[in-house]
Amino acid sequence: MTEFAGHLPGLSAGEVEWKTLHFGAWGEAAEIRVPVLSEAQAAALAGRVRDNARTYLKTLRVAEITAIIDQAIARLLDRNDPWRQKVERLLPIVTGYDAEMIRLGLTGYLKTFRQPQLKRFLAEDFADPQILDDFQPRPKGGFAKAFGPDLLLHVWAGNVPGLPLWSLISGLLVKAGSIGKVATAEPLLAGWFARILAEIDPRLGECLAVVWWKGGDEAGERVWLAQADAIVAYGGNDALKAIRDRAPVTARYLPHGHKIGFGMVARAALDTRKAGALARRAAYDVMRYDQQGCYSPQMLFVERGGRVSPREFSAYVGHELASFARKHPRRALAIEEAAGVASWRGAQELRAFSGDRDLLGDSADSWSIVHVEDAQALAPSGLNRTLSIVAVDRLDDVVGLVAPFRSFLQSAGIAAEPEELFRLAGLLGQVGVTRICALGSMTAPEAGWHNDGRFNLLDLVTMTEIEHAAEAAADGFAPYVD
Amino acid sequence: MDVTEAQIIAALLEFFDRKDATDEDFDRLALRIFAYQFENNQPYRRFAAARGRTPLSIRNWRDIPAVPIDAFKDLTLSCRPTEEIAHVFMTSGTTRGGQRGRSYHPTLAVYDRSMILNFRQRFMQGLDRIRMGILFPDEQAMPNSSLAHYLALARRECGTPDSEGFIDGAGLATARLLAALAHAEARGEPYALLGASYSFVHLLDALQRQGRRFALPPGSRILDTGGFKGQSRELAADEFYDALSAALGVPRDRCINMYGMTELSTQFYDWGNETCPPVKSGPHWIRTRVVNPLTGQDLPAGETGVLVHHDLAHFNSVSAILTEDAGIVVPGGFRLLGRVDGADSKGCSVAVEEFLKAARG
């Protein structure tokens, strides 16, 4: 199976050099051709996208843009649509994730980009989204209009299907011309989305491009960075730093680093009736995308004193992970990943000799839990369905255990009574947690969430303000002036 | 009756000299040493027992449980109480927040014998002595470095009296080294350069800056080890050996890479780096398995997995080590395919290595 990745308005396939990436999973193989543009082609493409966005995208009203995105998303949600079928066929081979997991995950995710949800997304950042279309009156007096960058560069990373759509759609909503660089680990979906947009509105399709270069390829990257007015980048801190160091100092830089999620279970949630279902939801969060998401939990803190003890709860979660292992099998691990899991397990096994912990799950199982009785600081697991469950006397203790890792914090899944939820949220927010969600929803942020606690649209725009005095002064020059 | 340390040492030294050791002989000694380690090395005993592996329950060296190499940082793995230990080798601490793995040697007689027998065969290849240039600090500068000891031993046992070390407090003594290379070139006698891979890169960079190159006399050879460890530019293997060969006039098949680790008492070598990655192998007292790291089970020949080394010479600690090196079994040995530690996540979740790095600041 061969598939071409990317979206290159104004360039024909024959003009471009292609590199073949090989993927294989679930007994099937796929060859994905990714474009390798020359410096001149890259510069010309960036210029074209910038010009097209200026002459077309910026003339559309936000409502028109959301309507077009809505149509594109509708096609990706429609299981009879050829694009959707392609997604369902190829992404399991490329990412290795269980096909059913991808199907369910994508549907849930794409639903957050339907028109009503896009309106919510806009409303989260703009009291009046029409400020993107026209000058709108400001409470302080005067008027203001929000302008997106002319050229927004997206540097995507990782194999979690669909993540690029988040920033790509953000760029469209603020009317920015977009160049997106797909990750080698999942080079397809962003390009397909761009091509669907082009099918629906060819002129809009010329306002964005989806390209590829090898991550860390300094020369390949520099030409793109030089063109960008704003850069949204995903990846590890080393990669993000490298981009920051090479980006023009005048470009706005919005990095999203790797994160570690965790969960908290209050004793109130640990009665024999509720604990089983709760364990299933926690296990679901661990299973989804094999913990590769920034929102995925790698550690669970469980409060002592409930009807169900932390150790019993660990056993419940283990039981659920075992059941998910049959329903949604873990993807085949690359040797480095398998070694990562083995090394984490090995380390836990050795520490278990001191008696404060025990391992659940056999080394041959596709999941592992280490249950720890002594409070311990937040730390990554071995990923790929490996989880630490740590017993604590009080959930308040968790705040101190996660606080040192502020730069890596983002999502916390909490199961607690309402008063407790708000109290804990206050404490966690103070140390850097930006998203509090229910267990079972950790991997499905709601529509319009503020990724990493930032205003994802507002961060992209600049405001042009007409001061009240300017307006008043203009009055003096009006033809109707008395 | 319990086996004593002296008996184990005697058995090992005898085994090293055997030219005709069979699989059964290896098995027998491996099991005897496992029984000794199980008896005297308490953390290892618990580790093995937790996996249901005891001297009574296993019959084959392949079933002897391998300790993850990381464990040398967390656990004291020594049969002899450590206060009685004369020699401790430590890892450089470049990973895991500077924590250093330790290997305890009550005597260096076994290590030294293992090293010399193997080194003579694989590097000296029939020469009795050769003039050596050492690109690594000496034992005084790095008393806990197994590599410093290894190189000192090589120089003492196989180097000519005018062999020299070229790393001092200020780093690579370039001027002195270039003079030695020029001298060797002029005299027409074979010369050997041995040291850390990254020091060779420093040498290459110095030569390039000065626009110098040498044609060392036939029979000259190079031994590099350890990789670049962030101490120099990173080069692909082919690029590295091409550059060495071009700069020093030593053909790639005379550029030998030694693969060793602090947690072992025996080293592996290739027969030159004409093509990369070359086949690596060791003497008859060390064996290598390629396993699925998750299950610890052997993989069929030809499949890539993680290397487990079983070094009988590492008698006081643990003989079976699960490494963080990927490899593949091939006829005559194995090919080393790089490190598998610190895998990044495939997505956007933070993985251990990056987290630790940030914690180190």
Side-chain angles (χ1 to χ4, degrees):
Chain A
M1 204 174 328
T2 301
E3 179 70 26
F4 286 82
H7 172 65
L8 309 169
L11 280 170
S12 69
E15 293 172 80
V16 176
E17 191 190 324
W18 297 87
K19 180 182 160 64
T20 305
L21 306 176
H22 298 271
F23 295 91
W26 312 108
E28 286 191 88
E31 288 189 347
I32 310 298
R33 305 263 160 90
V34 289
V36 184
L37 300 190
S38 70
E39 214 165 294
Q41 285 173 325
L45 181 60
R48 231 167 16 245
V49 165
R50 176 195 297 271
D51 291 345
N52 293 339
R54 222 180 252 159
T55 53
Y56 181 65
L57 180 53
K58 290 190 191 296
T59 67
L60 293 180
R61 303 190 71 76
V62 171
E64 293 171 302
I65 298 171
T66 54
I68 296 166
I69 297 172
D70 185 58
Q71 284 180 56
I73 293 291
R75 295 190 57 178
L76 281 174
L77 280 167
D78 175 5
R79 297 200 66 196
N80 296 315
D81 188 279
W83 286 110
R84 170 74 187 207
Q85 286 165 353
K86 201 144 93 150
V87 168
E88 292 191 10
R89 197 172 67 243
L90 274 164
L91 286 193
I93 303 173
V94 167
T95 64
Y97 294 121
D98 169 54
E100 194 61 4
M101 187 203 296
I102 290 182
R103 187 180 75 72
L104 295 169
L106 268 183
T107 298
Y109 178 67
L110 291 166
K111 281 195 310 199
T112 65
F113 297 114
R114 299 305 306 269
Q115 196 163 34
Q117 286 71 31
L118 291 173
K119 284 182 179 163
R120 183 178 302 284
F121 192 177
L122 286 158
E124 280 295 330
D125 280 21
F126 299 102
D128 176 6
Q130 284 179 43
I131 198 168
L132 287 158
D133 295 333
D134 298 305
F135 282 96
Q136 299 295 323
R138 303 302 297 161
K140 69 173 171 61
F143 286 77
K145 181 174 174 185
F147 291 89
D150 280 352
L151 195 67
L152 172 61
L153 179 69
H154 313 251
V155 183
W156 296 308
N159 70 352
V160 176
L163 280 193
L165 296 192
W166 176 262
S167 71
L168 196 55
I169 288 173
S170 300
L172 287 169
L173 292 177
V174 300
K175 310 181 189 180
S178 272
I179 304 274
K181 180 243 173 222
V182 289
T184 304
E186 198 289 271
L188 290 173
L189 191 58
W192 288 339
F193 182 68
R195 284 188 243 164
I196 298 171
L197 287 173
E199 277 183 19
I200 296 165
D201 181 347
R203 288 193 71 190
L204 181 66
E206 291 173 353
C207 300
L208 71 170
V210 176
V211 301
W212 180 87
W213 67 80
K214 190 166 165 36
D217 171 7
E218 218 174 302
E221 198 169 76
R222 181 162 285 135
V223 50
W224 297 110
L225 291 173
Q227 300 275 347
D229 302 306
I231 301 159
V232 179
Y234 298 81
N237 283 339
D238 286 344
L240 293 177
K241 181 178 181 310
I243 295 171
R244 185 185 65 193
D245 291 347
R246 288 175 212 146
V249 65
T250 48
R252 190 178 306 181
Y253 185 43
L254 304 166
H256 291 281
H258 290 161
K259 301 286 188 249
I260 175 170
F262 63 93
M264 294 167 75
V265 179
R267 65 174 69 99
L270 291 170
D271 71 32
T272 40
R273 201 165 41 84
K274 295 176 194 145
L278 187 61
R280 184 164 189 81
R281 290 201 289 276
Y284 178 81
D285 287 338
V286 171
M287 171 277 290
R288 274 281 291 254
Y289 299 131
D290 299 339
Q291 280 169 312
Q292 301 296 316
C294 49
Y295 36 49
S296 300
Q298 301 192 47
M299 202 176 239
L300 223 53
F301 297 96
V302 182
E303 197 174 35
R304 291 195 181 91
R307 284 278 177 74
V308 172
S309 74
R311 180 62 183 78
E312 287 167 321
F313 190 71
S314 290
Y316 287 6
V317 178
H319 174 77
E320 297 299 341
L321 280 175
S323 127
F324 279 127
R326 289 186 293 273
K327 196 167 167 212
H328 299 295
R330 181 172 72 185
R331 65 193 220 294
L333 301 184
I335 185 79
E336 300 80 27
E337 294 176 288
V341 169
S343 145
W344 178 81
R345 243 192 96 93
Q348 302 303 333
E349 213 174 337
L350 293 169
R351 281 179 212 144
F353 295 150
S354 66
D356 77 325
R357 64 190 64 204
D358 63 323
L359 274 160
L360 287 76
D362 190 72
S363 65
D365 287 333
S366 59
W367 59 274
S368 289
I369 290 175
V370 61
H371 174 84
V372 188
E373 277 296 324
D374 294 345
Q376 66 160 49
L378 183 68
S381 70
L383 297 179
N384 295 303
R385 308 194 192 185
T386 59
L387 179 71
S388 303
I389 299 187
V390 178
V392 291
D393 289 331
R394 296 167 60 239
L395 284 186
D396 291 47
D397 300 343
V398 175
V399 180
L401 298 174
V402 303
F405 311 104
R406 172 180 280 269
S407 67
F408 289 114
L409 299 181
Q410 181 206 65
S411 295
I414 299 187
E417 56 193 281
E419 202 177 319
E420 186 80 341
L421 174 71
F422 278 89
R423 203 176 57 76
L424 289 170
L427 297 172
L428 292 172
Q430 208 154 28
V431 298
V433 172
T434 55
R435 173 172 171 251
I436 308 282
C437 55
L439 285 178
S441 304
M442 290 192 72
T443 63
E446 66 188 3
W449 77 308
H450 291 108
N451 186 5
D452 293 339
R454 293 297 316 173
F455 290 88
N456 306 113
L457 299 176
L458 213 43
D459 274 349
L460 292 174
V461 302
T462 50
M463 290 290 180
T464 298
E465 295 183 318
I466 302 172
E467 293 194 351
H468 178 62
E471 187 196 348
D475 248 352
F477 311 119
Y480 49 78
V481 68
D482 291 326
Chain B
M1 193 186 80
D2 281 356
V3 190
T4 66
E5 182 184 83
Q7 287 170 323
I8 292 287
I9 292 173
L12 276 166
L13 294 175
E14 188 267 333
F15 191 76
F16 290 173
D17 286 331
R18 296 269 300 270
K19 297 277 179 285
D20 53 352
T22 61
D23 287 354
E24 289 72 32
D25 295 334
F26 184 90
D27 249 339
R28 205 170 305 125
L29 188 51
L31 294 174
R32 200 167 153 207
I33 291 173
F34 173 57
Y36 173 73
Q37 292 172 348
F38 188 85
E39 186 62 36
N40 296 291
N41 181 338
Q42 292 313 309
Y44 183 50
R45 182 194 186 99
R46 285 200 299 271
F47 176 84
R51 296 183 172 206
R53 307 284 175 86
T54 71
L56 294 176
S57 75
I58 57 177
R59 291 204 173 75
N60 188 296
W61 70 274
R62 291 177 179 275
D63 297 327
I64 295 172
V67 167
I69 199 161
D70 230 22
F72 284 82
K73 296 175 181 149
D74 291 315
L75 302 178
T76 302
L77 293 168
S78 178
C79 291
R80 193 78 96 79
T82 53
E83 57 274 16
E84 296 171 17
I85 297 285
H87 309 276
V88 183
F89 289 146
M90 297 187 199
T91 56
S92 55
T94 44
T95 56
R96 273 279 302 277
Q99 263 181 290
R100 302 174 74 181
R102 288 154 196 266
S103 272
Y104 300 92
H105 297 267
T107 165
L108 287 176
V110 174
Y111 181 98
D112 289 1
R113 185 87 189 126
S114 164
M115 181 277 172
I116 281 298
L117 284 174
N118 195 18
F119 183 79
R120 283 209 165 278
Q121 194 202 354
R122 302 302 294 263
F123 187 71
M124 297 305 286
Q125 298 181 24
L127 276 186
D128 188 46
R129 286 187 179 271
I130 189 168
R131 191 172 176 209
M132 291 182 181
I134 308 286
L135 307 185
F136 198 73
D138 63 18
E139 285 184 288
Q140 282 70 48
M142 299 185 76
N144 293 116
S145 160
S146 57
L147 182 57
H149 176 71
Y150 167 99
L151 291 167
L153 199 56
R155 179 175 167 182
R156 195 171 69 225
E157 297 286 325
C158 305
T160 58
D162 53 358
S163 295
E164 284 179 85
F166 292 103
I167 304 286
D168 51 33
L172 184 63
T174 312
R176 202 154 53 81
L177 173 55
L178 298 199
L181 292 171
H183 183 67
E185 192 179 49
R187 272 216 316 205
E189 282 173 21
Y191 191 77
L193 270 179
L194 304 89
S197 310
Y198 52 80
S199 296
F200 281 97
V201 179
H202 297 155
L203 169 61
L204 289 171
D205 291 346
L207 289 175
Q208 195 172 24
R209 273 197 301 276
Q210 304 192 12
R212 299 273 304 265
R213 60 168 58 192
F214 294 92
L216 292 175
S220 294
R221 58 203 72 189
I222 285 172
L223 181 143
D224 81 286
T225 187
F228 307 114
K229 294 192 168 153
Q231 305 269 341
S232 72
R233 310 184 272 129
E234 300 268 330
L235 276 78
D238 276 320
E239 200 186 344
F240 178 64
Y241 291 111
D242 276 344
L244 277 182
S245 179
L248 298 167
V250 177
R252 277 179 61 163
D253 61 6
R254 288 279 183 165
C255 296
I256 291 168
N257 174 267
M258 184 273 275
Y259 164 54
M261 45 189 76
T262 304
E263 297 84 352
L264 294 177
S265 294
T266 303
Q267 299 78 34
F268 298 96
Y269 300 90
D270 47 56
W271 294 103
N273 277 268
E274 183 87 44
T275 55
C276 292
V279 178
K280 291 244 186 311
S281 57
H284 62 266
W285 57 89
I286 190 166
R287 294 200 170 187
T288 297
R289 301 158 52 206
V290 172
V291 303
N292 172 341
L294 293 173
T295 62
Q297 301 289 313
D298 282 38
L299 289 169
E303 278 189 31
T304 300
V306 172
L307 299 177
V308 168
H309 301 308
H310 198 108
D311 182 14
L312 300 183
H314 211 53
F315 70 94
N316 180 60
S317 181
V318 169
S319 284
I321 314 290
L322 173 64
T323 69
E324 293 173 343
D325 297 318
I328 185 168
V329 168
V330 293
F334 59 90
R335 287 186 208 275
L336 195 57
L337 302 174
R339 304 272 295 163
V340 290
D341 58 332
D344 242 354
S345 93
K346 296 270 178 184
C348 46
S349 54
V350 71
V352 176
E353 203 51 33
E354 185 180 4
F355 195 79
L356 285 175
K357 199 169 157 189
R360 284 201 293 277

